[in-house]
Amino acid sequence: MRKFTRVAAISGGLLIMATSIAPVFGASHREAPLIAKDAAADHTDVFAWVDGNSPTKVNLAVNVSPMQDPAGGPNFWQFDPKVRYEIKIDNDRDARADITYRFTFKTIIRNPNTFLYNTGQVTGPNDADLNVRQTYTLTRIYENGTTRVLGTNLPVAPTNVGPRSNPAYATTAARSTKSLSSGIKAFAGQRDDPFFVDLGSIFDLGGLRPFNGAHLIPLAAEAGVDDLQANNVLTLALQVPIKHLTRGGRIYAATSARATIGVWAANFRQQNSTLLTSGGVRTSGRWIQVSRMANPLINEVVIPIGRKDYWNRRAPHGDSIFEKYYLKPELAGLINFLYPPTTDIDETGRADLSLILLNGLPASGPFAGNSTGSVKADMLRLNTGIPACTADSAEDNVGSCRRLGAFDGGADLAAWPNGRRPSDDVTDMAIRAVAQGYGATLDALYGVGNKPTNNALGDGVNTNDQDFLSVFPYISAPNQGYRHDHHEPM
């Protein structure tokens, strides 16, 4: 009875934890009240990394539309033609977009007199049996207003319905990767959700299964479970020459300030929406930003619920007004409360989080940083002069490549918070950043204040449920509706 009495006495604090800690480990899945009701415009993850196969190029990937069950027929998941999806690049350290890549979509229905998504086997993105298909236009926009259309009527990869509908899905989807002018590649379509996280335990009052015994309400320790296993998302991916992205149009050494770019994603809807009695929706008015994302965890746990929708409307260059939430993160106190053995996390004065997430890390000794100067802004900061790590699988902490980058004491600086690769275990990285478990390398270089007792924290899920592709767009093919892991018997 004593345990239940204690739970009742502290239930308010525990409920806050249940709603506040979980999204940090969900990257950006349903992170704010309004955007959680608008899946097609809701960001889940943003990635930026130097390509290991083509080291003069950068991969940019943005995922939207979270928690997709693959068996979503007859109306499978689609990009919304009424949304502008944008990837933004800052290359002059002012946290304003110098280059924008805009995706706009169109839906084509061949036969409106059938309920079927596909009327036969689909072997390509323009197959006659694909009754509902999408295309997109890709436009590059510079800060001075100069605009160039890079591609029109580009095909969206069709849904992976099942073995009858898609007898050779990988080949079909590969036909949606298009090589454009000047060495750019583009892809849009459904993919396996590349984020891996134990949401089931984390939503259960902030639990980490490997550390169940240390929780205020202890359970037996066990291995983590990837709750996004077999879920899909919609992916926008670009491969762009580095010289297209940097100020001055060159490839710079890692020691140059011009080597670092800031990357974020933003989605826009028109301000007015009218439901038509004939069916459909008419939109009008100016375009309003409804979602943005760069680093994982920001709008999820750093920004309080009463400011989340406002944060989504803001541009990164104004993020100084939110710095107080970085310097005094609510999550640090909640971890101290829920895990009594872990009571050494600093709850105030967290200049380390402000530095890493709002400014970037300065160069230190032989290691190049990714600082973008004094403007405080949520951007993924990628030093394009730091080469990709290709020696070993980034999933295995062997050799030089690490799933935790430099957080575990290694020297893999091609990982978050220097950009972000799909294989980076940002769940564990984010946990450790909040808990100041930075590891010896980051602390020695940047003096972030490592707490060695927290250097092993994590959710117990260390890899994605599917292997990533070895070629662009790298993110794994989507799970099919006919059979996926959630269908397997327990």
Side-chain angles (χ1 to χ4, degrees):
M1 289 298 293
R2 181 169 51 191
K3 183 178 293 185
F4 287 98
T5 302
R6 189 180 187 189
V7 171
I10 60 175
S11 60
L14 287 175
L15 288 176
I16 292 174
M17 187 62 173
T19 57
S20 297
I21 190 174
V24 64
F25 312 116
S28 187
H29 297 58
R30 300 174 55 80
E31 78 284 357
L34 288 180
I35 200 61
K37 302 173 185 177
D38 186 6
D42 187 1
H43 292 103
T44 69
D45 291 284
V46 178
F47 304 92
W49 75 101
V50 174
D51 191 271
N53 298 319
S54 301
T56 62
K57 296 183 179 181
V58 162
N59 298 304
L60 306 169
V62 174
N63 292 338
V64 299
S65 192
M67 309 295 190
Q68 295 182 10
D69 188 291
N75 293 295
F76 291 97
W77 308 93
Q78 294 181 330
F79 295 101
D80 190 340
K82 298 186 181 300
V83 174
R84 284 180 175 174
Y85 301 88
E86 297 185 352
I87 302 175
K88 295 180 176 291
I89 310 295
D90 166 43
N91 60 24
D92 62 0
R93 302 162 70 87
D94 65 356
R96 298 174 186 268
D98 299 294
I99 305 168
T100 296
Y101 292 95
R102 176 182 293 165
F103 295 74
T104 54
F105 290 85
K106 179 171 63 175
T107 302
I108 301 102
I109 300 176
R110 284 192 165 96
N111 179 9
N113 296 314
T114 177
F115 70 88
L116 295 171
Y117 172 79
N118 57 296
T119 56
Q121 291 191 320
V122 175
T123 58
N126 297 314
D127 195 301
D129 289 317
L130 183 60
N131 187 48
V132 181
R133 65 188 183 94
Q134 289 195 300
T135 62
Y136 65 99
T137 296
L138 177 63
T139 305
R140 182 172 60 205
I141 305 165
Y142 290 102
E143 187 178 28
N144 63 8
T146 302
T147 299
R148 180 183 177 186
V149 176
L150 300 176
T152 58
N153 295 316
L154 299 172
V156 173
T159 295
N160 189 6
V161 178
R164 296 186 182 94
S165 297
N166 310 96
Y169 185 81
T171 301
T172 298
R175 294 174 181 169
S176 297
T177 295
K178 295 300 178 182
S179 295
L180 309 177
S181 61
S182 305
I184 297 173
K185 289 184 179 180
F187 172 87
Q190 195 177 51
R191 298 277 92 182
D192 171 67
D193 191 333
F195 196 64
F196 40 97
V197 60
D198 190 348
L199 287 177
S201 179
I202 294 167
F203 271 113
D204 186 20
L205 303 180
L208 301 173
R209 290 183 209 258
F211 300 90
N212 273 347
H215 195 282
L216 192 63
I217 307 174
L219 299 173
E222 57 187 38
V225 176
D226 182 5
D227 290 294
L228 295 181
Q229 177 176 307
N231 281 2
N232 293 333
V233 291
L234 297 177
T235 294
L236 307 165
L238 295 174
Q239 188 177 91
V240 183
I242 291 173
K243 64 183 181 180
H244 286 195
L245 303 176
T246 58
R247 176 66 60 176
R250 293 171 48 196
I251 298 176
Y252 296 95
T255 53
S256 171
R258 290 196 173 193
T260 295
I261 59 173
V263 180
W264 72 98
N267 293 336
F268 297 80
R269 286 192 180 278
Q270 285 185 284
Q271 191 169 29
N272 305 314
S273 180
T274 304
L275 296 176
L276 305 177
T277 56
S278 59
V281 178
R282 181 176 62 238
T283 58
S284 62
R286 65 190 185 96
W287 290 88
I288 303 296
Q289 181 176 291
V290 295
S291 179
R292 65 162 162 137
M293 187 187 176
N295 284 294
L297 81 81
I298 304 305
N299 202 14
E300 294 75 10
V301 296
V302 175
I303 308 302
I305 193 168
R307 302 280 277 175
K308 289 180 180 295
D309 294 326
Y310 178 61
W311 187 92
N312 263 338
R313 296 287 192 273
R314 303 268 307 179
H317 66 265
D319 280 346
S320 61
I321 65 172
F322 302 109
E323 187 188 13
K324 61 184 178 181
Y325 303 121
Y326 297 74
L327 296 173
K328 187 181 179 181
E330 180 185 12
L331 181 56
L334 291 170
I335 295 176
N336 279 341
F337 174 75
L338 286 178
Y339 289 88
T342 307
T343 57
D344 62 340
I345 301 173
D346 295 339
E347 299 180 21
T348 60
R350 293 298 301 274
D352 56 311
L353 292 178
S354 179
L355 175 69
I356 291 174
L357 298 171
L358 289 176
N359 297 105
L361 295 167
S364 178
F367 294 93
N370 64 350
S371 173
T372 52
S374 60
V375 178
K376 297 192 177 298
D378 175 42
M379 301 186 292
L380 272 185
R381 292 168 170 84
L382 176 65
N383 186 327
T384 59
I386 296 176
C389 186
T390 59
D392 305 286
S393 168
E395 297 177 355
D396 299 320
N397 283 353
V398 292
S400 60
C401 297
R402 338 270 295 184
R403 68 176 176 89
L404 293 169
F407 272 81
D408 68 346
D412 180 7
L413 298 182
W416 187 78
N418 181 49
R420 181 183 170 190
R421 306 171 299 203
S423 57
D424 288 348
D425 191 351
V426 293
T427 299
D428 287 5
M429 291 172 170
I431 295 171
R432 296 184 190 189
V434 173
Q436 295 170 284
Y438 287 108
T441 298
L442 290 175
D443 190 30
L445 290 174
Y446 306 112
V448 286
N450 182 46
K451 307 278 190 182
T453 56
N454 298 332
N455 285 348
L457 290 177
D459 69 339
V461 180
N462 299 335
T463 61
N464 192 41
D465 59 310
Q466 292 194 38
D467 290 336
F468 295 111
L469 304 181
S470 60
V471 295
F472 180 84
Y474 293 102
I475 299 175
S476 309
N479 302 276
Q480 64 172 235
Y482 179 78
R483 183 179 298 281
H484 53 92
D485 287 343
H486 290 169
H487 280 176
E488 299 301 323
M490 297 298 291

